[in-house]
Amino acid sequence: MPAASASGTAPSSERSDLAVDLARFAAGLQAAQLDARVVAAVKTNILDTLACALAGSSAAAIGEVASLVQEWGGAPQAGLLAFGGRYPAHHAAWANAAMAHARDFDDTHDAAILHAGITAVPAALAAAQLRGGLPGDELVASVAAGLEVTCRLGTAIRMDVMRSGFIYTALLGYFGATAAAGRALGLPQAQLRDALGIVYSAVAGNLQVTREASLMKRVLPGMAAQAALVAVQMARKGIHGVQGVFEGDYGFFPLYLRGEAHADAAREDLGRRFELLNLSYKPYASCRNTHSAVDAVLQLRAQAGDGAEVEAVHVGVNQSGYQMVCVPEAVRASPRTVVDAQFSIPYCVAAAWIDGGLRLGHFGPEALQRDEVRALAARVRPHVDEAIERGWGRSITPAHVVLVLRDGRRLEARVDLPRGHPENPMSAAEFAAKAADCASLAVRPLAADTATRLAAAVEGLESLPDVSALVRLLQP
């Protein structure tokens, strides 16, 4: 009997690689086949991702990325959101994806620990414009394909993010963005399969950027979207990609994840059950691993009453969450940069307690200098909660918060599913307020009703004859 491969499956010579299944799914997906729940979820993702891009357009590092795109110039294939102008599709996808992630306000899959829309939506939009005249229902199918590929790959992985050393958003986004772009460009299954094999040569994205609070954290998803646009165009020219993309001897699962991923989990009910329905949306512009703690402390704030003074805040989380948003301890307790603050439970908890919420304005250079927030952040004491680790080790972390008040009271709250999770969803009013806040931060002034018009355009995508109109709506 032949030996199993490192991914725990039969050798690739005896079965087709997962890339075949993913290419077949993406190339053949039709909007008319999607049930109403899936269509609504895809529209929500498109709206949220584009709104986040408007806010991100004015964030640090994005202006420099946009200026490079403008300096390079080239074929006017796809629009640059917020800044305006048309550029080569792969450059537009790069900049648009980077700005969609820049505020860390975009979707998450809480079980897979990744963002999906920031690679799928910009890649699909760029490919749609490259193709020309793509109607809105085709965009829905393309984004659905990209979201589903990214989410399914994420849930197939058994290795914890921190142990892997990779950011799954970027790493898996290369494949999801390729599925989205290939579907929008109209590639047949064989060429889309080649595109997945081509983009595999570019796959990357490491956690060092979060440990050092590098602004490259914002740019990594853009590199995935950019590589996807290059890959699908190479495949369309007839260039063949590797065939053992995921399960080959040196395929993605054995090489990047040391076999701790299960291809069959990604294949199961593909096209019948949609993992994208499990995407969460963020009420706070910070790492999702901070959100349960913020929700818990806001609950306790309401219980404590006005005038309550905090002696200490103890926050229990899982090991992965602790490593991501509590380490290095000194940096997280006293963040000096916006990225430090976005990845800091002490800062997010302190700001939420003092102001009764956590808003976009808390993640700017001036907000980081507030003495009262810094003083309270120093009294926030995160730790690994063994009970949470046992039950939620491979997930966005829950939080068990113990609030010690100076009047002697001790209040406790635990949040397992933070606000925005499918089982604890944001309201329509919250989504509308988020979109309006995001639009107000666009790098160039947009019409006052941009957020409302964007929501209406996305809701009516099926009747939109050309999705280029959606891009023009978000340009000055």
Side-chain angles (χ1 to χ4, degrees), residues 103 105 283-286 294 298 301 342 347-348 351-364 367 370 437 441:
R103 299 283 181 182
F105 212 5
Y284 317 123
S286 59
V294 170
L298 289 175
R301 187 179 189 272
Q342 289 172 323
Y347 176 82
C348 292
W353 172 269
I354 288 171
D355 294 331
L358 195 62
R359 294 174 286 277
L360 272 169
H362 285 108
F363 299 98
R370 293 175 59 193
D437 285 347
L441 288 179

Side-chain angles (χ1 to χ4, degrees), residues 120-470:
V121 174
L125 271 178
Q129 294 168 85
L130 178 64
R131 182 177 180 181
L134 195 77
D137 60 344
E138 289 285 285
L139 180 68
V140 169
S142 301
V143 172
L147 294 176
E148 191 66 10
V149 166
T150 298
C151 292
R152 279 182 169 267
L153 290 174
T155 56
I157 294 173
R158 299 296 179 259
M159 181 178 287
D160 173 70
V161 169
M162 300 306 295
R163 189 161 64 84
S164 77
F166 293 114
I167 296 178
Y168 291 159
T169 297
L171 199 73
L172 305 181
Y174 281 83
F175 301 115
T178 299
R183 173 64 184 80
L185 203 56
L187 295 188
Q189 177 186 330
Q191 288 187 343
L192 188 41
R193 199 284 174 93
D194 278 327
L196 291 170
I198 291 167
V199 86
Y200 177 39
S201 294
V203 171
N206 62 78
L207 276 168
Q208 193 64 24
V209 297
T210 63
R211 187 53 56 88
E212 296 188 19
S214 166
L215 292 178
M216 278 303 297
K217 167 68 166 60
R218 301 173 171 184
V219 181
L220 288 179
M223 297 171 76
Q226 182 183 50
L229 265 294
V230 173
V232 296
Q233 293 180 77
M234 290 175 67
R236 190 169 64 165
K237 289 287 188 181
I239 297 174
H240 295 297
V242 300
Q243 301 299 289
V245 180
F246 295 100
E247 300 171 88
D249 292 338
Y250 299 100
F252 179 70
F253 288 160
L255 188 62
Y256 281 68
L257 300 164
R258 302 190 284 284
E260 293 190 40
H262 298 292
D264 286 342
R267 288 186 175 96
E268 186 179 4
D269 294 328
L270 181 62
R272 294 186 295 275
R273 175 185 61 81
F274 281 83
E275 190 61 44
L276 64 85
L277 293 172
N278 292 319
L279 283 165
S280 297
Y281 294 90
K282 286 186 173 185
Y284 317 123
S286 59
C287 176
R288 186 65 166 164
N289 274 305
T290 67
H291 285 211
S292 293
V294 170
D295 284 349
V297 85
L298 289 175
Q299 290 179 20
L300 296 179
R301 187 179 189 272
Q303 294 177 31
D306 294 339
E309 296 184 6
V310 177
E311 178 66 32
V313 186
H314 300 275
V315 183
V317 295
N318 66 20
Q319 179 66 40
S320 180
Y322 184 83
Q323 291 296 322
M324 189 169 288
V325 292
C326 305
V327 174
E329 290 87 350
V331 173
R332 302 309 182 210
S334 183
R336 296 182 178 86
T337 71
V338 170
V339 177
D340 282 338
Q342 289 172 323
F343 282 77
S344 168
I345 275 184
Y347 176 82
C348 292
V349 162
W353 172 269
I354 288 171
D355 294 331
L358 195 62
R359 294 174 286 277
L360 272 169
H362 285 108
F363 299 98
E366 292 181 4
L368 301 188
Q369 305 307 315
R370 293 175 59 193
D371 290 340
E372 67 272 35
V373 175
R374 295 178 70 84
L376 180 54
R379 300 198 298 277
V380 177
R381 298 161 189 169
H383 63 277
V384 175
D385 183 303
E386 295 303 329
I388 290 176
E389 174 64 18
R390 282 193 300 273
W392 301 78
R394 176 65 177 90
S395 177
I396 291 294
T397 186
H400 178 210
V401 176
V402 178
L403 190 68
V404 181
L405 300 176
R406 287 179 175 164
D407 61 11
R409 285 182 293 164
R410 182 185 175 92
L411 306 177
E412 297 186 36
R414 174 166 164 166
V415 171
D416 289 344
L417 302 176
R419 189 72 169 158
H421 187 277
E423 296 181 28
N424 184 17
M426 292 169 58
S427 67
E430 287 172 318
F431 269 114
K434 175 179 176 177
D437 285 347
C438 287
S440 72
L441 288 179
V443 68
R444 293 184 181 175
L446 300 174
D449 63 347
T450 293
T452 302
R453 291 167 61 207
L454 172 62
V458 172
E459 180 57 32
L461 267 177
E462 291 91 341
S463 61
L464 192 66
D466 185 348
V467 297
S468 294
L470 192 59

